[in-house]
Amino acid sequence: MAAQTGPEQVTQVSSMPVPPTHYIKLYSDEAVKKGTAPRPPPPIQDTYSMFGVTINNDDAIIQTLESQGIKKLLPSKEIDRKKELRKLNHSILLNFLDLIEILIKCPESSKREEKIEDINLLFIHMHHLINEFRPHQARETLRVMLMVQKRRRVQFTTRFKEQLDKVKGIIQEALESLPTREEDMDVDKDEKVDKDKIGKDGKDGTSEKGTCSSIDRVMCGIVDEMDYKT
């Protein structure tokens, strides 16, 4: 963010980016639809500036203390970072107490500057060890995100299967309630026989032949034979 003030028009450049509201206005829904939203910046090829420090694109994300010209207090071999962080924290507290004692007894002593440098060096080492945890933190964050996505998909799949089973049950019940083909053929045959009988009798089916079944005719024949013999 730059501003020009005064007759000499001195340019003031802020080291911090403009507020996010500025980007929100640039990338509004209307601007995106119209295609007027600024395009993303191209990838950085060589060097870039971050917090006033020029960084080469080929440099390691976590640089060693020696490459930055800082005296290394930690051993070069594999170390227990948690244990070393506790040691650094304890050393910072002790040096801070020593600094307070120096300020009380002899504020003008040269040891004051030495203690401040020691505390500064200890904080740099602590910050460096914390930065070495960043790749692990990134992997753990990604793992948690994937686990959350997996859990959501499993829940969605389970609910989908439950609804699918319900739909299958409803369809099965509907299919079972439908009449079978044999029943349809029997019904059609009975209707056809009834129509034929009505046509022969010339009535609405109230005649004896039209309403009498084969079993009734057999029983009537047996009764007639019994009457004839008697």
Side-chain angles (χ1 to χ4, degrees):
M1 184 176 181
Q4 295 180 352
T5 58
E8 299 178 357
Q9 294 184 353
V10 178
T11 303
Q12 297 179 355
V13 180
S14 176
S15 59
M16 301 300 294
V18 295
T21 308
H22 177 68
Y23 297 105
I24 294 173
K25 292 180 180 179
L26 291 176
Y27 292 94
S28 61
D29 295 337
E30 296 181 357
V32 173
K33 291 180 180 178
K34 294 179 181 179
T36 58
R39 299 185 62 82
I44 299 174
Q45 300 295 334
D46 298 326
T47 60
Y48 61 94
S49 177
M50 183 173 64
F51 300 110
V53 179
T54 301
I55 299 176
N56 190 357
N57 195 27
D58 296 331
D59 293 341
I61 298 176
I62 302 177
Q63 300 180 9
T64 61
L65 295 175
E66 293 88 344
S67 63
Q68 303 177 49
I70 300 173
K71 180 182 178 181
K72 187 176 181 180
L73 303 177
L74 301 175
S76 301
K77 61 181 181 179
E78 189 67 23
I79 59 175
D80 186 357
R81 289 176 174 79
K82 292 183 179 179
K83 185 177 180 181
E84 294 298 330
L85 283 172
R86 294 191 185 98
K87 288 182 180 180
L88 290 171
N89 187 34
H90 185 68
S91 298
I92 290 172
L93 293 175
L94 292 178
N95 279 273
F96 182 72
L97 293 176
D98 293 340
L99 177 61
I100 292 177
E101 185 178 358
I102 292 173
L103 292 175
I104 293 173
K105 293 181 178 181
C106 187
E108 302 298 331
S109 176
S110 59
K111 293 182 178 180
R112 177 174 63 88
E113 297 294 336
E114 294 178 1
K115 282 297 174 183
I116 292 175
E117 290 295 330
D118 293 341
I119 293 173
N120 185 35
L121 183 61
L122 291 172
F123 271 114
I124 290 174
H125 278 73
M126 179 177 284
H127 189 264
H128 180 73
L129 284 179
I130 293 173
N131 282 338
E132 289 184 347
F133 278 108
R134 298 301 182 187
H136 174 72
Q137 181 186 13
R139 288 193 295 268
E140 286 297 314
T141 303
L142 180 60
R143 185 180 66 85
V144 172
M145 291 173 61
L146 293 175
M147 289 179 62
V148 171
Q149 293 180 6
K150 179 182 177 182
R151 184 172 64 251
R152 290 177 178 175
R153 291 177 180 178
V154 170
Q155 293 175 355
F156 175 80
T157 305
T158 303
R159 291 195 300 268
F160 178 79
K161 288 182 178 179
E162 292 176 355
Q163 297 297 326
L164 182 61
D165 293 337
K166 291 181 180 179
V167 172
K168 286 182 178 180
I170 294 172
I171 294 175
Q172 186 64 30
E173 291 178 359
L175 292 175
E176 291 176 356
S177 63
L178 292 175
T180 61
R181 183 175 182 82
E182 295 179 356
E183 294 177 353
D184 292 340
M185 292 177 65
D186 293 339
V187 172
D188 294 339
K189 187 176 181 181
D190 293 339
E191 290 179 354
K192 185 177 181 181
V193 171
D194 293 339
K195 290 180 179 179
D196 293 340
K197 291 180 179 179
I198 293 172
K200 291 180 180 180
D201 296 338
K203 299 180 180 179
D204 295 337
T206 57
S207 62
E208 183 179 354
K209 293 183 180 180
T211 58
C212 219
S213 63
S214 59
I215 298 175
D216 294 337
R217 294 194 187 97
V218 173
M219 295 300 295
C220 292
I222 294 172
V223 173
D224 293 339
E225 290 179 0
M226 292 174 63
D227 293 341
Y228 178 76
K229 290 181 181 180
T230 55

PDB file of all heavy atoms in Angstrom, residues 22 27 41 57 67-68 103-104 108 110 112 114 124-125 127 147 169 184 192-194 206 213 223:
ATOM      1  N   HIS A  22     -10.188  -5.503   0.678  1.00  0.00           N
ATOM      2  CA  HIS A  22      -9.816  -5.065  -0.663  1.00  0.00           C
ATOM      3  C   HIS A  22      -9.899  -6.238  -1.649  1.00  0.00           C
ATOM      4  O   HIS A  22     -10.426  -6.096  -2.766  1.00  0.00           O
ATOM      5  CB  HIS A  22      -8.400  -4.490  -0.641  1.00  0.00           C
ATOM      6  CG  HIS A  22      -7.883  -4.068  -1.984  1.00  0.00           C
ATOM      7  ND1 HIS A  22      -8.401  -3.006  -2.672  1.00  0.00           N
ATOM      8  CD2 HIS A  22      -6.900  -4.593  -2.766  1.00  0.00           C
ATOM      9  CE1 HIS A  22      -7.763  -2.861  -3.826  1.00  0.00           C
ATOM     10  NE2 HIS A  22      -6.845  -3.823  -3.897  1.00  0.00           N
ATOM     11  N   TYR A  27     -12.720  -9.705  -5.861  1.00  0.00           N
ATOM     12  CA  TYR A  27     -13.160 -11.049  -6.258  1.00  0.00           C
ATOM     13  C   TYR A  27     -14.603 -11.303  -5.847  1.00  0.00           C
ATOM     14  O   TYR A  27     -14.938 -12.365  -5.342  1.00  0.00           O
ATOM     15  CB  TYR A  27     -12.236 -12.102  -5.637  1.00  0.00           C
ATOM     16  CG  TYR A  27     -10.841 -12.084  -6.213  1.00  0.00           C
ATOM     17  CD1 TYR A  27      -9.839 -11.349  -5.596  1.00  0.00           C
ATOM     18  CD2 TYR A  27     -10.520 -12.789  -7.366  1.00  0.00           C
ATOM     19  CE1 TYR A  27      -8.553 -11.317  -6.114  1.00  0.00           C
ATOM     20  CE2 TYR A  27      -9.243 -12.771  -7.895  1.00  0.00           C
ATOM     21  CZ  TYR A  27      -8.259 -12.030  -7.254  1.00  0.00           C
ATOM     22  OH  TYR A  27      -6.994 -11.999  -7.776  1.00  0.00           O
ATOM     23  N   PRO A  41      -1.450 -14.286  -9.594  1.00  0.00           N
ATOM     24  CA  PRO A  41      -0.092 -13.923 -10.042  1.00  0.00           C
ATOM     25  C   PRO A  41       0.636 -15.139 -10.589  1.00  0.00           C
ATOM     26  O   PRO A  41       0.365 -16.283 -10.195  1.00  0.00           O
ATOM     27  CB  PRO A  41       0.566 -13.407  -8.759  1.00  0.00           C
ATOM     28  CG  PRO A  41      -0.197 -14.064  -7.646  1.00  0.00           C
ATOM     29  CD  PRO A  41      -1.605 -14.189  -8.135  1.00  0.00           C
ATOM     30  N   ASN A  57      14.134 -18.749  -4.611  1.00  0.00           N
ATOM     31  CA  ASN A  57      13.112 -19.776  -4.784  1.00  0.00           C
ATOM     32  C   ASN A  57      13.672 -21.182  -4.630  1.00  0.00           C
ATOM     33  O   ASN A  57      12.943 -22.119  -4.299  1.00  0.00           O
ATOM     34  CB  ASN A  57      12.469 -19.633  -6.173  1.00  0.00           C
ATOM     35  CG  ASN A  57      11.185 -20.416  -6.288  1.00  0.00           C
ATOM     36  OD1 ASN A  57      10.499 -20.658  -5.301  1.00  0.00           O
ATOM     37  ND2 ASN A  57      10.839 -20.821  -7.496  1.00  0.00           N
ATOM     38  N   SER A  67      23.702 -21.826   7.757  1.00  0.00           N
ATOM     39  CA  SER A  67      23.552 -21.072   6.512  1.00  0.00           C
ATOM     40  C   SER A  67      23.098 -19.645   6.759  1.00  0.00           C
ATOM     41  O   SER A  67      23.301 -18.775   5.906  1.00  0.00           O
ATOM     42  CB  SER A  67      22.553 -21.780   5.599  1.00  0.00           C
ATOM     43  OG  SER A  67      21.262 -21.807   6.207  1.00  0.00           O
ATOM     44  N   GLN A  68      22.502 -19.393   7.915  1.00  0.00           N
ATOM     45  CA  GLN A  68      22.061 -18.043   8.260  1.00  0.00           C
ATOM     46  C   GLN A  68      23.091 -17.291   9.102  1.00  0.00           C
ATOM     47  O   GLN A  68      22.828 -16.178   9.552  1.00  0.00           O
ATOM     48  CB  GLN A  68      20.742 -18.115   9.029  1.00  0.00           C
ATOM     49  CG  GLN A  68      19.635 -18.822   8.278  1.00  0.00           C
ATOM     50  CD  GLN A  68      18.370 -18.941   9.090  1.00  0.00           C
ATOM     51  OE1 GLN A  68      17.910 -17.961   9.669  1.00  0.00           O
ATOM     52  NE2 GLN A  68      17.790 -20.133   9.126  1.00  0.00           N
ATOM     53  N   LEU A 103      20.550  -6.293  36.075  1.00  0.00           N
ATOM     54  CA  LEU A 103      19.926  -4.978  35.990  1.00  0.00           C
ATOM     55  C   LEU A 103      19.723  -4.358  37.370  1.00  0.00           C
ATOM     56  O   LEU A 103      19.732  -3.128  37.512  1.00  0.00           O
ATOM     57  CB  LEU A 103      18.578  -5.098  35.270  1.00  0.00           C
ATOM     58  CG  LEU A 103      18.640  -5.462  33.777  1.00  0.00           C
ATOM     59  CD1 LEU A 103      17.236  -5.661  33.226  1.00  0.00           C
ATOM     60  CD2 LEU A 103      19.384  -4.391  32.989  1.00  0.00           C
ATOM     61  N   ILE A 104      19.541  -5.204  38.353  1.00  0.00           N
ATOM     62  CA  ILE A 104      19.348  -4.676  39.711  1.00  0.00           C
ATOM     63  C   ILE A 104      20.678  -4.231  40.313  1.00  0.00           C
ATOM     64  O   ILE A 104      20.790  -3.129  40.879  1.00  0.00           O
ATOM     65  CB  ILE A 104      18.680  -5.737  40.613  1.00  0.00           C
ATOM     66  CG1 ILE A 104      17.245  -5.999  40.130  1.00  0.00           C
ATOM     67  CG2 ILE A 104      18.673  -5.290  42.067  1.00  0.00           C
ATOM     68  CD1 ILE A 104      16.571  -7.142  40.852  1.00  0.00           C
ATOM     69  N   GLU A 108      24.780  -0.936  34.232  1.00  0.00           N
ATOM     70  CA  GLU A 108      25.709  -0.485  33.200  1.00  0.00           C
ATOM     71  C   GLU A 108      26.748  -1.526  32.853  1.00  0.00           C
ATOM     72  O   GLU A 108      27.622  -1.267  32.020  1.00  0.00           O
ATOM     73  CB  GLU A 108      26.413   0.795  33.664  1.00  0.00           C
ATOM     74  CG  GLU A 108      25.475   1.936  33.999  1.00  0.00           C
ATOM     75  CD  GLU A 108      24.659   2.371  32.779  1.00  0.00           C
ATOM     76  OE1 GLU A 108      25.167   2.219  31.648  1.00  0.00           O
ATOM     77  OE2 GLU A 108      23.538   2.872  32.965  1.00  0.00           O
ATOM     78  N   SER A 110      28.728  -4.701  31.216  1.00  0.00           N
ATOM     79  CA  SER A 110      28.738  -5.272  29.864  1.00  0.00           C
ATOM     80  C   SER A 110      28.068  -6.647  29.824  1.00  0.00           C
ATOM     81  O   SER A 110      27.708  -7.124  28.736  1.00  0.00           O
ATOM     82  CB  SER A 110      30.184  -5.391  29.373  1.00  0.00           C
ATOM     83  OG  SER A 110      30.940  -6.213  30.259  1.00  0.00           O
ATOM     84  N   ARG A 112      25.214  -7.285  30.760  1.00  0.00           N
ATOM     85  CA  ARG A 112      23.813  -7.102  30.380  1.00  0.00           C
ATOM     86  C   ARG A 112      23.619  -7.393  28.895  1.00  0.00           C
ATOM     87  O   ARG A 112      22.691  -8.120  28.507  1.00  0.00           O
ATOM     88  CB  ARG A 112      23.379  -5.681  30.721  1.00  0.00           C
ATOM     89  CG  ARG A 112      21.946  -5.339  30.304  1.00  0.00           C
ATOM     90  CD  ARG A 112      21.579  -3.965  30.829  1.00  0.00           C
ATOM     91  NE  ARG A 112      22.421  -2.957  30.249  1.00  0.00           N
ATOM     92  CZ  ARG A 112      22.180  -2.307  29.097  1.00  0.00           C
ATOM     93  NH1 ARG A 112      21.095  -2.607  28.398  1.00  0.00           N
ATOM     94  NH2 ARG A 112      23.002  -1.393  28.646  1.00  0.00           N
ATOM     95  N   GLU A 114      25.582  -9.158  27.027  1.00  0.00           N
ATOM     96  CA  GLU A 114      25.893 -10.562  26.792  1.00  0.00           C
ATOM     97  C   GLU A 114      24.672 -11.442  27.101  1.00  0.00           C
ATOM     98  O   GLU A 114      24.361 -12.383  26.348  1.00  0.00           O
ATOM     99  CB  GLU A 114      27.082 -10.990  27.644  1.00  0.00           C
ATOM    100  CG  GLU A 114      28.394 -10.316  27.261  1.00  0.00           C
ATOM    101  CD  GLU A 114      29.537 -10.740  28.152  1.00  0.00           C
ATOM    102  OE1 GLU A 114      29.281 -11.586  29.066  1.00  0.00           O
ATOM    103  OE2 GLU A 114      30.660 -10.256  27.962  1.00  0.00           O
ATOM    104  N   ILE A 124      16.125 -17.994  19.163  1.00  0.00           N
ATOM    105  CA  ILE A 124      16.295 -18.369  17.761  1.00  0.00           C
ATOM    106  C   ILE A 124      16.316 -19.887  17.625  1.00  0.00           C
ATOM    107  O   ILE A 124      15.675 -20.455  16.727  1.00  0.00           O
ATOM    108  CB  ILE A 124      17.584 -17.740  17.193  1.00  0.00           C
ATOM    109  CG1 ILE A 124      17.408 -16.221  17.064  1.00  0.00           C
ATOM    110  CG2 ILE A 124      17.931 -18.359  15.834  1.00  0.00           C
ATOM    111  CD1 ILE A 124      18.671 -15.491  16.640  1.00  0.00           C
ATOM    112  N   HIS A 125      17.032 -20.570  18.534  1.00  0.00           N
ATOM    113  CA  HIS A 125      17.092 -22.027  18.490  1.00  0.00           C
ATOM    114  C   HIS A 125      15.712 -22.640  18.770  1.00  0.00           C
ATOM    115  O   HIS A 125      15.321 -23.630  18.129  1.00  0.00           O
ATOM    116  CB  HIS A 125      18.120 -22.540  19.504  1.00  0.00           C
ATOM    117  CG  HIS A 125      19.519 -22.493  19.006  1.00  0.00           C
ATOM    118  ND1 HIS A 125      20.225 -21.312  18.867  1.00  0.00           N
ATOM    119  CD2 HIS A 125      20.369 -23.477  18.580  1.00  0.00           C
ATOM    120  CE1 HIS A 125      21.434 -21.560  18.405  1.00  0.00           C
ATOM    121  NE2 HIS A 125      21.540 -22.877  18.216  1.00  0.00           N
ATOM    122  N   HIS A 127      12.808 -21.244  18.179  1.00  0.00           N
ATOM    123  CA  HIS A 127      11.987 -20.989  16.997  1.00  0.00           C
ATOM    124  C   HIS A 127      12.369 -21.921  15.847  1.00  0.00           C
ATOM    125  O   HIS A 127      11.498 -22.409  15.096  1.00  0.00           O
ATOM    126  CB  HIS A 127      12.159 -19.525  16.572  1.00  0.00           C
ATOM    127  CG  HIS A 127      11.207 -19.097  15.509  1.00  0.00           C
ATOM    128  ND1 HIS A 127      11.549 -19.095  14.170  1.00  0.00           N
ATOM    129  CD2 HIS A 127       9.931 -18.653  15.569  1.00  0.00           C
ATOM    130  CE1 HIS A 127      10.524 -18.673  13.452  1.00  0.00           C
ATOM    131  NE2 HIS A 127       9.525 -18.394  14.272  1.00  0.00           N
ATOM    132  N   MET A 147      -9.182 -37.946   6.937  1.00  0.00           N
ATOM    133  CA  MET A 147     -10.020 -38.766   7.812  1.00  0.00           C
ATOM    134  C   MET A 147     -11.419 -38.183   7.931  1.00  0.00           C
ATOM    135  O   MET A 147     -12.421 -38.916   7.929  1.00  0.00           O
ATOM    136  CB  MET A 147      -9.368 -38.885   9.188  1.00  0.00           C
ATOM    137  CG  MET A 147      -8.119 -39.755   9.224  1.00  0.00           C
ATOM    138  SD  MET A 147      -7.361 -39.833  10.866  1.00  0.00           S
ATOM    139  CE  MET A 147      -8.681 -40.581  11.811  1.00  0.00           C
ATOM    140  N   GLY A 169     -37.647 -52.128  -0.450  1.00  0.00           N
ATOM    141  CA  GLY A 169     -38.741 -52.753   0.278  1.00  0.00           C
ATOM    142  C   GLY A 169     -40.106 -52.286  -0.204  1.00  0.00           C
ATOM    143  O   GLY A 169     -41.041 -53.085  -0.342  1.00  0.00           O
ATOM    144  N   ASP A 184     -54.869 -63.368 -13.407  1.00  0.00           N
ATOM    145  CA  ASP A 184     -55.484 -62.535 -14.444  1.00  0.00           C
ATOM    146  C   ASP A 184     -56.150 -63.403 -15.512  1.00  0.00           C
ATOM    147  O   ASP A 184     -57.257 -63.108 -15.984  1.00  0.00           O
ATOM    148  CB  ASP A 184     -54.420 -61.641 -15.101  1.00  0.00           C
ATOM    149  CG  ASP A 184     -53.902 -60.600 -14.126  1.00  0.00           C
ATOM    150  OD1 ASP A 184     -54.608 -60.343 -13.133  1.00  0.00           O
ATOM    151  OD2 ASP A 184     -52.800 -60.056 -14.361  1.00  0.00           O
ATOM    152  N   LYS A 192     -65.334 -64.440 -19.437  1.00  0.00           N
ATOM    153  CA  LYS A 192     -65.744 -64.870 -20.761  1.00  0.00           C
ATOM    154  C   LYS A 192     -66.851 -65.917 -20.685  1.00  0.00           C
ATOM    155  O   LYS A 192     -67.829 -65.886 -21.449  1.00  0.00           O
ATOM    156  CB  LYS A 192     -64.538 -65.427 -21.501  1.00  0.00           C
ATOM    157  CG  LYS A 192     -64.814 -65.805 -22.941  1.00  0.00           C
ATOM    158  CD  LYS A 192     -63.551 -66.276 -23.621  1.00  0.00           C
ATOM    159  CE  LYS A 192     -63.847 -66.634 -25.067  1.00  0.00           C
ATOM    160  NZ  LYS A 192     -62.623 -67.119 -25.760  1.00  0.00           N
ATOM    161  N   VAL A 193     -66.720 -66.864 -19.718  1.00  0.00           N
ATOM    162  CA  VAL A 193     -67.761 -67.886 -19.542  1.00  0.00           C
ATOM    163  C   VAL A 193     -69.078 -67.246 -19.146  1.00  0.00           C
ATOM    164  O   VAL A 193     -70.156 -67.604 -19.654  1.00  0.00           O
ATOM    165  CB  VAL A 193     -67.307 -68.922 -18.508  1.00  0.00           C
ATOM    166  CG1 VAL A 193     -68.453 -69.869 -18.146  1.00  0.00           C
ATOM    167  CG2 VAL A 193     -66.119 -69.718 -19.043  1.00  0.00           C
ATOM    168  N   ASP A 194     -69.032 -66.285 -18.244  1.00  0.00           N
ATOM    169  CA  ASP A 194     -70.262 -65.608 -17.809  1.00  0.00           C
ATOM    170  C   ASP A 194     -70.918 -64.883 -18.980  1.00  0.00           C
ATOM    171  O   ASP A 194     -72.156 -64.911 -19.140  1.00  0.00           O
ATOM    172  CB  ASP A 194     -69.950 -64.627 -16.688  1.00  0.00           C
ATOM    173  CG  ASP A 194     -69.506 -65.359 -15.416  1.00  0.00           C
ATOM    174  OD1 ASP A 194     -69.821 -66.566 -15.296  1.00  0.00           O
ATOM    175  OD2 ASP A 194     -68.841 -64.730 -14.564  1.00  0.00           O
ATOM    176  N   THR A 206     -79.780 -64.673 -14.535  1.00  0.00           N
ATOM    177  CA  THR A 206     -80.604 -65.104 -13.401  1.00  0.00           C
ATOM    178  C   THR A 206     -81.221 -66.460 -13.628  1.00  0.00           C
ATOM    179  O   THR A 206     -81.924 -66.979 -12.776  1.00  0.00           O
ATOM    180  CB  THR A 206     -81.730 -64.081 -13.164  1.00  0.00           C
ATOM    181  OG1 THR A 206     -82.484 -63.949 -14.370  1.00  0.00           O
ATOM    182  CG2 THR A 206     -81.150 -62.753 -12.765  1.00  0.00           C
ATOM    183  N   SER A 213     -73.645 -74.275 -10.824  1.00  0.00           N
ATOM    184  CA  SER A 213     -72.305 -74.765 -11.078  1.00  0.00           C
ATOM    185  C   SER A 213     -72.329 -76.251 -11.355  1.00  0.00           C
ATOM    186  O   SER A 213     -73.351 -76.923 -11.195  1.00  0.00           O
ATOM    187  CB  SER A 213     -71.413 -74.469  -9.879  1.00  0.00           C
ATOM    188  OG  SER A 213     -71.884 -75.165  -8.743  1.00  0.00           O
ATOM    189  N   VAL A 223     -79.906 -86.557  -6.198  1.00  0.00           N
ATOM    190  CA  VAL A 223     -81.195 -86.452  -5.511  1.00  0.00           C
ATOM    191  C   VAL A 223     -82.325 -86.946  -6.404  1.00  0.00           C
ATOM    192  O   VAL A 223     -83.257 -87.637  -5.956  1.00  0.00           O
ATOM    193  CB  VAL A 223     -81.430 -85.006  -5.058  1.00  0.00           C
ATOM    194  CG1 VAL A 223     -82.828 -84.855  -4.497  1.00  0.00           C
ATOM    195  CG2 VAL A 223     -80.396 -84.590  -4.026  1.00  0.00           C
TER     196      VAL A 223
END
